[in-house]
Amino acid sequence: CRPFGVGRQGTVAGEGAAILVLEAEEHAARRGVRVRAEYAGFGAASGESSPEGVCDGLGRAVRAALAEAGCDAADAVCLHGDGSARNDLGEAAAVRALSAETGAAPAAYATKGAHGNLFSAAGPLDAAVAVMALEHAALPPSRNCDHMDPACALTLATEGSRPVPWMRTLLVNALGEFGEAACLAIRRVA
């Protein structure tokens, strides 16, 4: 698929899976394992199945995740970016609106151009990639996003990884087919 791209023709099905282990810090310490990132917040909402509805629902989900995380803005965001006009236009509008509210535009990337849309497994895979991005203080490249749709107006790294040494909080967006929206806030461990 071509997330946020001119000439996108919809999503492309992918195949894959990811598993994340969520546990109390004390439990991880007893087991002697390294904590890679921490859960910071979550939000979910729904809107109409239109670009405007996606923008509204995702905006409410992101605000809820940021509120639970105790921060006003995130340093970076993993975009849902499934290559559908409805979701791409709505998500781009939500990111721009939130950037205007907070005065900060987060660094952004989208993974589905590389692996396709895993549907129910897309959120966990994006969360796993987000944990790795936080660990390495760098965002992965957004594949197949070479010609950005001017209506989306997002800045994505498309060639190689993008260093983001100041990144502390990263959001992972997930959108459904009928206006569902979710946002997970993940924080780098000191």
Side-chain angles (χ1 to χ4, degrees):
C1 66
R2 295 186 195 117
F4 308 102
V6 170
R8 65 183 168 272
Q9 296 178 351
T11 198
V12 173
E15 190 172 337
I19 296 173
L20 290 95
V21 175
L22 301 176
E23 63 182 320
E25 189 174 357
E26 302 80 34
H27 186 261
R30 279 196 308 269
R31 293 190 321 112
V33 297
R34 180 168 55 100
V35 175
R36 298 178 175 274
E38 67 180 7
Y39 166 90
F42 177 78
S46 62
E48 294 178 20
S49 186
S50 67
E52 297 79 16
V54 168
C55 177
D56 175 60
L58 182 58
R60 286 184 285 125
V62 169
R63 285 183 200 92
L66 288 172
E68 186 177 344
C71 55
D72 296 325
D75 302 308
V77 60
C78 173
L79 302 165
H80 180 75
D82 68 3
S84 71
R86 177 194 63 230
N87 284 347
D88 285 0
L89 292 170
E91 184 172 25
V95 170
R96 286 193 311 273
L98 289 163
S99 296
E101 284 177 24
T102 63
Y109 69 97
T111 66
K112 289 176 186 64
H115 56 68
N117 192 343
L118 307 183
F119 298 96
S120 295
L125 181 63
D126 282 345
V129 172
V131 168
M132 293 177 10
L134 284 167
E135 278 191 298
H136 297 285
L139 303 182
S142 301
R143 299 291 182 211
N144 293 324
C145 298
D146 300 329
H147 304 289
M148 179 66 63
D149 181 344
C152 292
L154 296 171
T155 303
L156 305 176
T158 57
E159 299 296 324
S161 65
R162 176 180 174 187
V164 188
W166 64 86
M167 182 170 48
R168 175 112 172 93
T169 304
L170 194 152
L171 301 177
V172 179
N173 292 343
L175 299 171
E177 293 302 308
F178 303 104
E180 311 91 351
C183 181
L184 172 66
I186 302 173
R187 188 171 289 130
R188 181 168 44 187
V189 185

